[in-house]
Amino acid sequence: MYILSCAKHKNTRTILLLVSNFSRRVVLRFWAHDTPALWWDEGNNAYFAHQNFSNLVKMSRMTNDTDPPLHRLALRLWLGLLGDSAYNLRLLSVVCGVLTILLAFAWGEWLDGPASGLLAALLCAFSPLAIYYSREAKAYPFVTLFGALGLYVWSRYLFQADRRRPWLWVLYVICSVLALGSHYYAVFLIAAQGAWLVIGSLARSKSFGDRRDLWRWLLAQAATILIM
């Protein structure tokens, strides 16, 4: 509450201090992130990232690997653009982590103004787990980014009932595919969205619009499954 109060009253010194701390947390994600040696899971991802799609699926079956392939395919494209190195291998996670911070700001700003956006971004930037996983060549930051982006896009879609934008629905499907196609635990986020819509529809059973939103969401999940 103190942070919100200071930001709303345009306390320049406090805002500069917060922005300074925020910047340092962003730098922490980039700073010498290739220094620790790659460990087993990262090396496994590096190996799969050097395979084409058919070989990736084949080797996943042969090694009983349980991770879906989209993050590793994204790594393959990423390394193809930037070059093959441990630094670039982990850089995708760093970029996803920083973009998640910016998304947190956009979401907070949309819901309650710049002060809430700043607070949301700071909480995301200061999260020790977010910093840790942003420095590893694993799928977690990738899934977090697209899972959160999908939820944000879907929220924008729902709250624009008077002028629905079909491209938001399409973007939600794309985000769901990228999240679920990179880690199966993303299904829990999708299940939470469905529970939220079902509870809202039951609570306001007289509103046909709520039920129609539920059917649009179910159609989006069907499209996600078909694409995958």
Side-chain angles (χ1 to χ4, degrees), residues 38-51:
L38 296 176
W39 65 290
W40 175 263
D41 282 0
E42 292 181 293
N44 199 41
N45 284 340
Y47 172 78
F48 281 115
H50 286 80
Q51 310 300 315

Side-chain angles (χ1 to χ4, degrees), residues 98-128:
V98 173
L99 290 177
T100 302
I101 297 172
L102 298 177
L103 176 61
F105 174 81
W107 203 339
E109 193 274 338
W110 171 59
L111 290 174
D112 196 40
S116 295
L118 178 61
L119 178 58
L122 285 169
L123 291 173
C124 187
F126 278 67
S127 169

Side-chain angles (χ1 to χ4, degrees), residues 57-107:
V57 173
K58 179 181 177 181
M59 293 305 298
S60 294
R61 289 174 178 173
M62 290 178 62
T63 58
N64 294 319
D65 186 83
T66 57
D67 288 336
L70 286 187
H71 172 251
R72 288 158 173 173
L73 291 174
L75 272 178
R76 176 182 172 84
L77 294 174
W78 183 263
L79 293 176
L81 289 172
L82 300 182
D84 196 1
S85 68
Y87 185 92
N88 290 333
L89 185 72
R90 287 172 170 159
L91 187 60
L92 179 59
S93 292
V94 175
V95 171
C96 287
V98 173
L99 290 177
T100 302
I101 297 172
L102 298 177
L103 176 61
F105 174 81
W107 203 339

